Amino acid sequence: MDGEEAVVRAHGFWLYAEGYAKTLGTPLTPQSRALDVGCGWGRITRLFSRDIASENIHGIDIDPHAIALCETLGVPGNFTLTKPNEPLPFEDNSFDVITAYSVFTHLPEDVATGLAAELSRVAAPGCVIVFTVEDKTFLDVFDMPNFREFGGRWEMLAKYADEAPSLRKKYDDGEFLYLVTNNEGARTSAVYGDALISEKWMRKNWNDLFEIVAMDEAKPPVYQGVVVARKT
């Protein structure tokens, strides 16, 4: 994905956060407190800086190179290196809006649930939480001829091709699907692959953490399923 395409996708995702924050009665202001999980090179935090004072914007990532890049580029906000399966370095009720673009799309069930619980903890009452998931449309990749030739993660994904019908059924039945498609650097297979999470699974397992307000299936410009939740 080139830089321009990444920015277009990030902007489409950010519009969910901005729009639903307004719709749900907590519009973004300079005083709003924002957290971007998996901040990468800061494509979401840059957008938050349109409305929110930089001192109230926080970004976290498990990759030290991402944190260093944000700091080197002078991206607006405060950036912190975190570790999987560890508490987030923030107090309870710290944020009014939380985003996680292309984060839950990669986490195994235990890590995803632990992170969801932490987001619920640091979210203030009324906080809007927007994140992406891989939905059932992700499995359509197995219908594409020669998708293995894309290389990288797609080569590792190919080992699941024969299981595609079974995976679709498991998704429909409300199972959490985790496919191992990576094992390098900070993103080992124990914490990073491809995860498919259905609305049915979330409502059953995360209902006590936050209220799911909406879920849109993957489509342009985000190309991942978008979940909007609220801390009650």
Side-chain angles (χ1 to χ4, degrees), residues 12-210:
F13 171 73
W14 175 79
L15 289 175
Y16 278 91
E18 183 194 45
Y20 272 96
K22 184 181 298 182
T23 298
L24 297 174
T26 55
L28 303 182
T29 71
Q31 291 72 42
S32 298
R33 301 162 297 170
L35 172 64
D36 182 38
V37 181
C39 60
W41 51 271
R43 54 181 170 171
I44 304 299
T45 54
R46 292 171 188 268
L47 294 168
F48 272 133
S49 68
R50 295 178 177 182
D51 299 307
I52 302 174
S54 59
E55 61 266 26
N56 293 330
I57 300 172
H58 291 263
I60 60 174
D61 205 291
I62 64 171
D63 188 342
H65 298 293
I67 300 301
L69 186 59
C70 286
E71 294 175 343
T72 299
L73 295 176
V75 177
N78 311 277
F79 299 94
T80 305
L81 181 68
T82 56
K83 294 182 179 180
N85 293 321
E86 290 190 3
L88 297 181
F90 307 108
E91 297 181 357
D92 296 0
N93 306 317
S94 291
F95 298 102
D96 304 304
V97 59
I98 298 174
T99 53
Y101 182 87
S102 202
V103 174
F104 286 100
T105 53
H106 296 295
L107 304 180
E109 184 174 348
D110 61 330
V111 180
T113 295
L115 177 58
E118 276 297 285
L119 297 189
S120 177
R121 179 184 67 78
V122 302
C127 175
V128 175
I129 306 170
V130 185
F131 57 95
T132 60
V133 296
E134 296 289 10
D135 58 22
K136 191 177 180 179
T137 62
F138 180 79
L139 298 175
D140 292 344
V141 67
F142 295 120
D143 298 327
M144 299 173 59
N146 304 320
F147 77 90
R148 297 168 177 80
E149 297 177 4
F150 296 161
R153 111 196 228 216
W154 304 104
E155 292 181 0
M156 297 185 73
L157 188 66
K159 64 187 176 185
Y160 295 99
D162 292 340
E163 300 177 39
S166 173
L167 292 173
R168 288 189 172 95
K169 183 178 187 305
K170 289 179 179 179
Y171 182 92
D172 289 339
D173 289 344
E175 292 189 33
F176 189 109
L177 303 182
Y178 181 66
L179 313 179
V180 176
T181 56
N182 191 81
N183 191 24
E184 60 182 11
R187 299 177 174 89
T188 67
S189 60
V191 298
Y192 194 93
D194 275 290
L196 286 76
I197 314 177
S198 67
E199 182 173 356
K200 182 177 181 180
W201 187 93
M202 285 185 285
R203 290 191 181 279
K204 177 181 178 181
N205 293 278
W206 292 349
N207 190 56
D208 59 334
L209 300 177
F210 38 66

